[in-house]
Amino acid sequence: MRPIEWNISDGLTGYLQAVQVMEARADAIAKGNASEAIWLVEHPALYTAGTSANHKDLIDANRFPVFNSKRGGQYTYHGPGQRVVYVMLDLNRHGKDVRAFVQKLEQWVISTLACFNVQGAIRDGRIGVWVDRPEKPLTPAGLRQEDKIAAIGIRLRKWVSFHGLSINVDPDLSHFEGIIPCGIREYGVTSLVDLGLPVSMADLDMALKDQFEKQFLTP
């Protein structure tokens, strides 16, 4: 059984290039010709539309390139300062349960954020990982304000996953204004640096790898 390969790409990786690499790797994993892989990248500024995207949530179609994506979910933003984590794992090895797999990805993000004393949480009906913002005014509906710090969207083919998740380290948060992220209008987005934490991409990568081993490889 091959160990999981862990790759980090320097610079900015084009989205279509990433998709081609992911799909080829997922096919090779399914055929038993390649090891599972975790691939960490940054993309140039762009929007992607998941399989459930509503075109009305694309506010400014001319701001950045827009790509249709085969992952689940709605519109999301990728760009410099955001760590995108592509997860190519064989669920025949990790339990053929899609819901449990997504929950494990969520817990991976939450435990990684906890390394920086950030308390992430899952909310019913809202995809991704959220943090409380008690210093902000209440929402128009009188609810406590929360911001999204991480997004999750995967696809499975022959029980091999691809696409994955993204965590905001220090992206330009104004870039999210061209879409309704994941179709959620009532709440905002944040990043580790926006929360006042001087976390580097290298810091996050180390925490991601450590917590991945604890979430996925520890019996």
Side-chain angles (χ1 to χ4, degrees):
M1 186 177 294
R2 299 183 180 98
I4 296 172
E5 186 176 335
W6 192 274
N7 297 312
I8 302 175
S9 290
D10 295 328
L12 301 179
T13 301
Y15 184 74
L16 293 180
Q17 174 193 350
V19 171
Q20 291 174 351
V21 171
M22 275 193 296
E23 292 196 347
R25 185 61 172 259
D27 287 342
I29 293 169
K31 294 174 182 176
N33 296 330
S35 62
E36 299 172 290
I38 305 295
W39 184 23
L40 280 60
V41 306
E42 283 181 86
H43 288 306
L46 58 93
Y47 299 128
T48 66
T51 54
S52 301
N54 183 339
H55 185 68
K56 293 180 180 179
D57 291 338
L58 181 59
I59 297 172
D60 187 353
N62 298 316
R63 187 167 189 176
F64 300 122
V66 181
F67 298 92
N68 290 321
S69 173
K70 296 177 182 178
R71 63 164 174 79
Q74 303 184 47
Y75 280 102
T76 194
Y77 165 78
H78 294 315
Q82 181 191 72
R83 176 53 85 205
V84 178
V85 184
Y86 289 129
V87 181
M88 291 155 279
L89 297 178
D90 185 354
L91 267 65
N92 290 291
R93 289 182 58 185
H94 301 281
K96 295 170 71 172
D97 185 326
V98 177
R99 177 172 293 184
F101 178 61
V102 172
Q103 290 173 342
K104 190 168 283 191
L105 292 176
E106 292 169 341
Q107 289 305 311
W108 178 23
V109 173
I110 289 170
S111 64
T112 297
L113 294 174
C115 295
F116 306 102
N117 295 316
V118 174
Q119 185 175 352
I122 305 304
R123 296 292 183 241
D124 289 341
R126 284 193 260 141
I127 294 294
V129 178
W130 299 78
V131 294
D132 286 337
R133 302 302 302 271
E135 74 279 11
K136 288 189 172 184
L138 298 177
T139 70
L143 302 175
R144 183 180 58 192
Q145 188 60 256
E146 298 176 340
D147 285 343
K148 188 174 188 176
I149 195 168
I152 296 174
I154 64 165
R155 183 174 175 85
L156 295 179
R157 181 181 296 161
K158 298 180 181 178
W159 288 105
V160 176
S161 68
F162 54 110
H163 295 282
L165 57 93
S166 61
I167 300 175
N168 297 330
V169 179
D170 189 21
D172 185 336
L173 296 179
S174 71
H175 289 179
F176 286 87
E177 295 171 2
I179 57 172
I180 303 297
C182 298
I184 299 170
R185 300 174 183 273
E186 298 86 355
Y187 298 94
V189 291
T190 190
S191 68
L192 289 167
V193 171
D194 182 53
L195 292 173
L197 301 168
V199 177
S200 70
M201 198 68 73
D203 294 333
L204 180 70
D205 292 347
M206 290 178 61
L208 278 166
K209 188 170 185 180
D210 179 66
Q211 295 304 312
F212 176 83
E213 292 173 354
K214 291 178 181 178
Q215 292 293 326
F216 286 87
L217 304 182
T218 301

